[in-house]
């Protein structure tokens, strides 16, 4: 949920010893330990450092503890982050000496050397193709056209990236409407704060369209580090080019399969696999004997593309072209492929494909949870929630991320899984962990996930996402108040939001997450303005009286929240329709950002009244207690999905962890 701000330390020399990737990794270890224990001491370092690649192959915990002792460290001494970094460098130096001067893997110098070497080995043809794409698609942009066309032989691309506008615009080309351009800072000369806002907006929006940005921060974009910039641009362009490779947007793809079962499988395939299936479909018809399994080694000689050209654009091909052996000559013919897909327009099949797609609400929730899972940096990338999690492995990866140590990996089976009962075992563990985390899972078994029960899957994922939000808030509040955090509830989040807005604007009523008046967006704009007064440009805000005005406000809210540093995955429709679950994620994300700033400024005491405690909230203006008003959000659990199958409606049964 946090923003992408570079990790800074006060000592310039200390800062210079690490890359941003290293600093973020070490900061994560430090904060995690501090969150769990309340503080970090020298005695905590051996188990932390023993897991780092810089030490793991040479030293165990005892060896690291011995070196700390040799260096004169007091095991009870409490460390701040800079002392933590100095201990790391000290230990690394001693470890290098003990290994006879041999460089340790992933040492600072090794990483820097690697990074520098990589900088000098940027693929110029790849860069040129991205520059050409940008020049083509953004040539008419009112702000950028004065900077275009870019020259691929210079650093034009990297220079233009530094203010953040280009990448934001490119994201909107890939997925139109993702960023409200009113939220982009576009004046002639931007100050560091405004540049950082643009980059934060860019990175949070990139996550929201499916990019993996785990190891990229705003400072990396400010410095325009070539390999990171090109990597991000590559992902954005790829998402744009593959956007229509699904049955909803291209129902003709149903021609690739023969029956309903295969259609279901097609629905679960990622865009690249759909593209491979489409390519092999045409190659088989063209008489190509090989099976293409990837877009690298299998196609590098150009032979497959020559056959594909012959199938899709025979007027630009000839039998002689299939016999061409020169890969360069083959490559020169590819431009003739144009945008043809070679599929029929059989309306009966197309209508069948449309029937197989989900309703709008289900699709929106699937999209939200899919993007959230991928943002966690799990090893497995999810293309379709309903298909990709049915073997249980992805859910175990997510659970291990949000609740470290909860998964017994010895009992888990890694894909590919051929035996059905192994999938059930994985999913049974998923359900059991959910119960241990106090999820409401009455009459739910692992086989329900294996069978792809969409209602139950969405309900489980909602509880998992909500648990993650509440734990983040609990841990952050615990640190800011220097005490063990009490559980945070939906009611606490609502109370915090109402108190924030009430302080800023007395005229606004207290709201509940089910309040339909939230649809105009004014409450959330007031909340954003309350936590950061300069972030909302009120001159572009509408009154929210018409559907069109509500849409404008909702789009602006999402972009402003991302610009602030909130990692959110809802859509404007979720605000307009007052989708309680998505409204809660938005509010919780703003709350998390606000509490973070209190921690960074070390002034939490001054705003302590804004941090909710465990006491019951006061009655609202409508006479209802806020915990009752948000009850509909708290109880949006699996039980709602299985209510038809069980007569159990007691609260005691719905929440086994309730005391």
């Amino acid at each position: 949920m946090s923003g992408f701000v570079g990790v800074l330390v006060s000592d310039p020399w200390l800062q210079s010893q690490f890359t941003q990737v290293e600093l973020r990794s070490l900061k994560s270890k430090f904060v995690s330990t501090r969150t769990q224990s309340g503080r970090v001491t020298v005695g905590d370092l051996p188990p932390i450092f023993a897991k780092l690649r810089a030490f793991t192959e040479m030293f165990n915990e005892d060896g690291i503890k011995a070196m700390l002792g040799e260096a004169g460290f007091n095991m009870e001494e409490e460390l701040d982050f800079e002392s933590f970094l100095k201990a790391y460098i000290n230990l690394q130096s001693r470890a290098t000496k003990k290994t006879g001067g041999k460089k340790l893997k992933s040492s600072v110098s090794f990483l820097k050397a690697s990074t520098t070497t990589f900088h000098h080995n940027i693929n110029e043809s790849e860069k040129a193709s991205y520059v050409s794409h940008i020049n083509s698609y953004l040539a008419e942009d009112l702000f950028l056209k004065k900077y275009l066309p870019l020259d691929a032989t210079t650093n034009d691309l990297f220079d233009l990236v530094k203010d953040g506008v280009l990448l934001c615009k490119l994201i909107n080309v890939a997925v139109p409407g993702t960023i409200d351009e009113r939220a982009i800072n576009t004046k002639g000369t931007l100050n560091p704060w405004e540049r950082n806002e643009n980059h934060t907006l860019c990175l949070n929006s990139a996550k929201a369209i499916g990019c993996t940005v785990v190891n990229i921060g705003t400072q990396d974009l400010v410095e325009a580090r070539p390999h990171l910039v090109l990597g991000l641009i590559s992902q954005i362009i790829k998402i744009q080019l593959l956007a229509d490779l699904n049955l909803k947007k291209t129902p003709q793809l149903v021609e690739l399969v023969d029956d309903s079962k295969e259609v279901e499988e097609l629905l679960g395939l990622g865009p690249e696999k759909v593209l491979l299936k489409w390519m092999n479909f045409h190659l088989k018809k063209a008489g190509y004997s090989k099976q293409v399994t990837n877009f690298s080694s299998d196609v590098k000689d150009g032979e497959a593309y020559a056959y594909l050209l012959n199938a899709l654009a025979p007027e630009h091909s000839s039998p002689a072209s299939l016999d061409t052996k020169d890969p360069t000559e083959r490559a020169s013919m590819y431009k003739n492929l144009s945008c043809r897909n070679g599929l029929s327009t059989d309306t009966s099949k197309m209508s069948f494909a449309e029937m197989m797609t989900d309703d709008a609400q289900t699709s929106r929730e699937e999209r939200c949870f899919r993007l959230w899972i991928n943002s966690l940096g799990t090893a497995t990338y999810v293309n379709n929630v309903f298909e990709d999690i049915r073997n249980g492995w992805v859910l175990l990866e997510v659970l291990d991320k949000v609740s470290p140590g909860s998964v017994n990996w010895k009992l888990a089976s890694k894909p590919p899984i051929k035996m059905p009962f192994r999938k059930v075992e994985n999913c049974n563990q998923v359900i059991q962990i959910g119960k241990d985390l106090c999820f409401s899972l009455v009459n739910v078994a692992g086989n329900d996930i294996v069978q792809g029960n969409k209602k139950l899957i969405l309900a489980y994922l909602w509880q998992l996402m909500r648990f993650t939000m509440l734990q983040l808030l609990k841990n952050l509040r615990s640190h800011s108040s220097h005490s063990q955090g009490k559980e945070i509830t939906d009611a606490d989040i609502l109370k915090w939001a109402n108190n924030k807005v009430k302080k800023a604007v007395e005229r606004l009523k207290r709201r509940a997450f089910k309040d339909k008046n939230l649809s105009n967006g004014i409450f959330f704009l007031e909340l954003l303005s309350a936590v950061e007064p300069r972030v909302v440009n009120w001159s572009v805000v509408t009154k929210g009286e018409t559907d069109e005005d509500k849409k404008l406000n909702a789009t602006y809210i999402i972009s402003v929240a991302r610009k602030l540093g909130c990692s959110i995955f809802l859509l404007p429709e979720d605000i307009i329709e007052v989708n309680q679950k998505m409204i809660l994620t938005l509010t919780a994300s703003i709350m998390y950002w606000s509490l973070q700033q209190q921690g960074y400024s070390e002034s939490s005491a001054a705003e302590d009244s804004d941090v909710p405690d465990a006491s019951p909230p006061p009655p609202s203006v409508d006479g209802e207690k806020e915990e009752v008003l948000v009850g509909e959000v708290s109880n949006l659990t699996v039980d709602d999905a299985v209510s038809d199958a069980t007569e159990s409606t007691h609260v005691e049964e719905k929440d086994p962890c309730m005391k």
Side-chain angles (χ1 to χ4, degrees):
M1 282 185 164
S2 60
F4 296 88
V5 180
V7 178
L8 302 176
V9 294
S10 60
D11 184 341
W13 176 85
L14 192 59
Q15 179 91 36
S16 71
Q17 301 306 300
F18 300 89
T19 66
Q20 273 297 314
V21 172
E22 290 175 292
L23 282 172
R24 284 195 292 274
S25 176
L26 291 170
K27 184 66 176 285
S28 173
K29 304 288 185 187
F30 177 83
V31 171
S32 176
T33 303
R34 187 181 62 187
T35 299
Q36 292 175 9
S37 308
R39 62 176 191 152
V40 178
T41 66
V42 174
D44 294 320
L45 299 184
I48 298 174
F49 289 168
K51 295 177 182 178
L52 299 177
R53 289 185 63 197
F55 304 108
T56 187
E57 292 186 6
M58 296 288 186
F59 303 97
N60 57 21
E61 289 186 30
D62 291 337
I64 292 173
K65 186 175 181 179
M67 283 192 289
L68 289 170
E70 292 170 7
F73 283 97
N74 177 1
M75 293 296 169
E76 298 300 319
E77 179 185 351
E78 185 171 353
L79 300 174
D80 59 17
F81 182 56
E82 292 196 14
S83 300
F84 178 85
L85 294 177
K86 289 174 182 176
Y88 177 89
I89 291 175
N90 186 307
L91 190 63
Q92 193 177 66
S93 174
R94 289 178 176 275
T96 301
K97 289 179 181 178
K98 282 183 175 289
T99 56
K102 180 182 176 181
K103 292 283 186 182
L104 299 177
K105 281 194 175 182
S106 296
S107 68
V108 176
S109 57
F110 173 81
L111 280 174
K112 287 191 173 178
S114 174
T115 302
T116 303
T117 301
F118 196 78
H119 281 187
H120 288 293
N121 285 284
I122 292 299
N123 188 318
E124 291 297 330
S125 63
E126 182 182 352
K127 172 187 167 187
S129 67
Y130 298 155
V131 167
S132 175
H133 186 92
I134 290 167
N135 288 339
S136 174
Y137 281 90
L138 290 171
E140 300 304 317
D141 183 85
L142 295 177
F143 177 80
L144 291 175
K145 64 181 180 181
K146 58 187 174 185
Y147 302 105
L148 301 178
L150 300 174
D151 185 347
T153 64
T154 69
N155 283 326
D156 280 0
L157 173 62
F158 303 119
D159 291 338
L160 192 55
V161 159
K162 291 180 179 179
D163 68 4
V165 178
L166 173 64
L167 293 178
C168 286
K169 299 275 189 176
L170 194 59
I171 286 171
N172 269 355
V173 170
V175 183
T178 299
I179 296 176
D180 188 323
E181 298 203 1
R182 295 173 296 174
I184 305 174
N185 298 319
T186 55
K187 68 182 187 182
T189 303
L190 302 181
N191 61 41
W193 177 273
E194 292 166 330
R195 281 199 304 272
N196 188 73
E197 284 185 331
N198 280 350
H199 291 312
T200 303
L201 173 59
C202 160
L203 290 169
N204 280 318
S205 299
K207 284 203 298 183
I209 66 171
C211 294
T212 301
V213 295
V214 175
N215 290 320
I216 309 175
T218 55
Q219 190 62 29
D220 298 315
L221 298 183
V222 168
E223 297 171 6
R225 296 191 175 184
H227 64 294
L228 294 176
V229 169
L230 293 181
L232 181 57
I233 290 175
S234 171
Q235 291 187 73
I236 295 170
I237 292 176
K238 178 180 174 183
I239 287 169
Q240 175 193 345
L241 297 179
L242 300 181
D244 292 338
L245 282 174
N246 58 71
L247 281 176
K248 186 174 182 180
K249 292 188 176 180
T250 311
Q252 300 99 313
L253 287 169
V254 76
E255 187 179 346
L256 304 180
V257 298
D258 297 321
D259 54 41
S260 60
K261 184 177 181 181
E262 288 187 341
V263 172
E264 289 188 44
E265 292 175 356
L266 185 63
L267 282 167
L269 293 180
E272 283 190 66
K273 290 185 178 179
V274 172
L275 191 59
L276 279 171
K277 195 172 186 69
W278 168 84
M279 187 174 186
N280 283 312
F281 173 79
H282 285 299
L283 289 176
K284 184 178 180 181
K285 289 171 63 175
Y288 189 64
S289 59
K290 301 175 186 176
Q291 182 85 359
V292 175
T293 60
N294 58 66
F295 290 110
S296 52
S297 60
D298 284 3
V299 297
K300 67 180 181 181
D301 63 1
E303 185 180 12
Y305 287 125
Y307 274 84
L308 190 61
L309 173 64
N310 191 51
L312 298 181
E315 71 275 18
H316 295 294
S317 182
S318 66
S321 66
L322 300 180
D323 298 326
T324 302
K325 303 299 182 184
D326 182 7
T328 304
E329 187 178 341
R330 283 172 176 163
S332 66
M333 301 185 291
Y334 301 161
K335 62 180 181 289
N336 295 318
L337 282 172
S338 187
C339 295
R340 305 180 190 182
N341 63 31
L343 300 174
S344 70
T345 54
D346 186 333
T347 54
S348 61
K349 278 194 170 186
M350 288 169 60
S351 61
F352 174 67
E354 290 165 356
M355 288 171 58
M356 296 292 294
T357 57
D358 295 315
D359 62 85
Q361 180 63 32
T362 299
S363 295
R364 291 212 308 260
E365 291 196 21
E366 186 277 337
R367 169 195 170 278
C368 172
F369 295 133
R370 168 168 39 88
L371 294 172
W372 171 67
I373 290 171
N374 289 332
S375 76
L376 298 175
T378 53
T380 306
Y381 190 87
V382 176
N383 289 295
N384 182 298
V385 164
F386 299 130
E387 294 299 322
D388 294 352
I389 73 168
R390 288 173 61 176
N391 61 24
W393 183 261
V394 171
L395 287 175
L396 290 173
E397 287 185 324
V398 174
L399 286 163
D400 193 53
K401 281 279 185 182
V402 304
S403 181
S406 62
V407 178
N408 185 343
W409 291 109
K410 292 181 180 179
L411 300 179
S413 298
K414 186 176 182 177
I417 305 173
K418 295 182 179 180
M419 304 299 291
F421 75 92
R422 295 293 185 192
K423 298 178 183 179
V424 176
E425 286 178 345
N426 280 356
C427 292
N428 282 342
Q429 186 176 180
V430 166
I431 296 298
Q432 185 54 54
I433 295 172
K435 291 178 179 179
D436 294 341
L437 297 177
C438 301
F439 294 0
S440 182
L441 298 168
V442 177
N443 294 340
V444 181
N447 196 50
D448 293 314
I449 297 175
V450 176
Q451 295 300 318
N453 186 313
K454 293 182 179 181
K455 273 193 173 183
L456 295 181
I457 288 171
L458 290 177
Y460 186 95
L461 286 172
W462 163 242
Q463 293 188 87
L464 184 55
M465 188 179 192
R466 177 174 170 269
F467 166 81
T468 307
M469 291 187 306
L470 297 182
Q471 284 300 114
L472 284 170
L473 289 169
K474 173 188 172 183
N475 293 340
L476 193 57
R477 184 176 68 173
S478 171
H479 172 63
S480 66
S481 60
H482 305 288
S483 63
Q484 292 300 313
K486 297 176 182 178
E487 297 296 333
I488 285 186
T489 66
D490 304 347
D492 291 327
I493 298 171
L494 178 61
K495 178 184 177 183
W496 173 86
N498 276 323
N499 286 345
K500 273 289 185 183
V501 172
K502 184 181 178 184
K503 283 186 177 182
V505 187
E506 290 293 340
R507 61 183 169 79
L508 284 182
K509 286 185 176 183
R510 302 167 73 85
R511 300 296 185 194
F513 291 134
K514 67 177 183 179
D515 193 331
K516 291 301 178 182
N517 288 317
L518 293 176
S519 66
N520 64 21
I522 300 300
F523 179 85
F524 296 109
L525 289 165
E526 292 286 7
L527 178 59
L528 288 162
S529 183
V531 299
E532 177 48 70
R534 62 179 298 282
V535 79
V536 176
N537 178 1
W538 287 101
S539 67
V540 302
V541 175
T542 75
K543 293 182 180 180
E545 294 175 345
T546 66
D547 290 342
E548 183 179 353
D549 285 351
K550 288 179 180 180
K551 180 73 175 287
L552 286 170
N553 282 355
T555 305
Y556 187 59
I557 288 165
I558 292 170
S559 291
V560 169
R562 288 175 179 154
K563 176 180 178 178
L564 197 62
C566 300
S567 181
I568 49 179
F569 304 99
L570 74 167
L571 292 171
E573 290 79 5
D574 294 316
I575 296 176
I576 297 168
E577 297 170 12
V578 193
N579 181 319
Q580 297 172 51
K581 290 184 282 188
M582 296 301 107
I583 291 294
L584 175 61
T585 66
L586 171 62
T587 310
S589 190
I590 297 171
M591 179 180 177
Y592 182 79
W593 182 88
S594 179
L595 294 181
Q596 272 189 314
Q597 305 320 299
Q598 291 179 211
Y600 291 152
S601 63
E602 297 183 352
S603 61
S604 58
E607 291 189 273
D608 208 33
S609 59
D610 291 327
V611 183
D613 55 27
S615 58
S620 71
V621 292
D622 298 319
E624 298 178 275
K625 286 196 172 184
E626 289 171 0
E627 65 231 280
V628 175
L629 291 173
V630 299
E632 294 185 28
V633 177
S634 301
N635 293 329
L636 285 170
T637 62
V638 173
D639 295 321
D640 299 320
V642 298
S643 58
D644 294 336
T646 176
E647 297 180 0
S648 174
T649 56
H650 297 296
V651 172
E652 292 80 11
E653 293 176 326
K654 293 183 81 171
D655 189 351
C657 296
M658 185 176 289
K659 296 180 180 178

